[in-house]
Amino acid sequence: LLLFGCALMPLPTAAEESPVAGDAVATYEAGQYSKALQMFQEESDVRNEAVRLFNIANCEYRLGNPGKAALGYARALLVAPGFPEAEANLAFIQRKEGALLPPHSTIDKIFTFFSCSKLWVITIICTAILALCISLQIAWHLKRHLGWLHALTIVFAVFSLLCATNWVYYLGQQKPDITALPPQDVAYILTPTTARNAADEAGSSIIQLTPSTPVRILAHRASWCYIETATGVRGWIPTHTAEALEPGGSPQMPVLIRF
């Protein structure tokens, strides 16, 4: 219920940084979602791009386009990692639509508690404080004995070690976590679609993909693209059923195509 509330929450006041955005917020709150969507999309004087993308996603959700809404929230997170409302709304939509996401064991859940962006900030803070404590110990070593400083050094040394362990986990994953650290070739499924074993409607069905499911685009062939899900399943889908997370994103080459 909490996440459902987040998905329907009013647009942030940060969107009112310009008169046009303020008008779009009023239009949204009046229930004119199509018009508000157009106004947000046409807004050019934007100081907070993440909020604009968040607002666009809210409009898409209200218009019954969960796939496009998920894409909008993901793009907002790409601009502003850790955006709490966008994280909550994206998680709500993906759970509601049954998006195919990476399976997480208990260990996975522990090590992915902090996304890469958050872990990076924590690592910098812990390392900086640890370095400061060591420097103070060296500077004051001959003058006085400060037990609290030794304790603080040990605490942040442990924190830094835990951060290093977490980074080893992320770097050691066989498949990239496309939800925590999305590469350039990530796209989101916009409409319910079937992944097939060939770039043709006559191809055999491999898996059903629901809106808001993140996939990697590995190759293109005419109006089809070859994708890989977060669980490693590969197949062909019509290009129009997915949209790249980064506008203009393209496959990372070379790609080993498995059939």
Side-chain angles (χ1 to χ4, degrees), residues 140-164:
W140 294 347
H141 179 67
L142 300 178
K143 295 182 179 181
R144 65 191 73 179
H145 178 76
L146 298 176
W148 64 268
L149 184 57
H150 292 305
L152 197 62
T153 302
I154 292 174
V155 168
F156 280 95
V158 172
F159 285 162
S160 297
L161 180 61
L162 291 175
C163 289

Side-chain angles (χ1 to χ4, degrees), residues 44-126:
S44 57
D45 181 21
V46 179
R47 302 175 192 175
N48 193 333
E49 179 66 6
V51 171
R52 186 181 78 92
L53 293 170
F54 177 84
N55 292 337
I56 289 175
N58 279 350
C59 293
E60 293 286 11
Y61 180 80
R62 290 287 193 173
L63 291 170
N65 302 318
K68 291 186 177 180
L71 177 64
Y73 293 131
R75 284 176 172 172
L77 288 168
L78 197 63
V79 175
F83 190 166
E85 291 82 3
E87 284 184 341
N89 289 6
L90 177 59
F92 163 75
I93 290 177
Q94 290 179 326
R95 184 166 61 252
K96 180 182 178 183
E97 296 298 321
L100 192 62
L101 300 174
H104 290 302
S105 63
T106 302
I107 294 179
D108 290 329
K109 292 179 180 178
I110 292 174
F111 279 103
T112 57
F113 183 78
F114 294 112
S115 64
C116 287
S117 57
K118 292 180 179 178
L119 181 62
W120 176 250
V121 174
I122 294 172
T123 301
I124 292 177
I125 293 174
C126 290

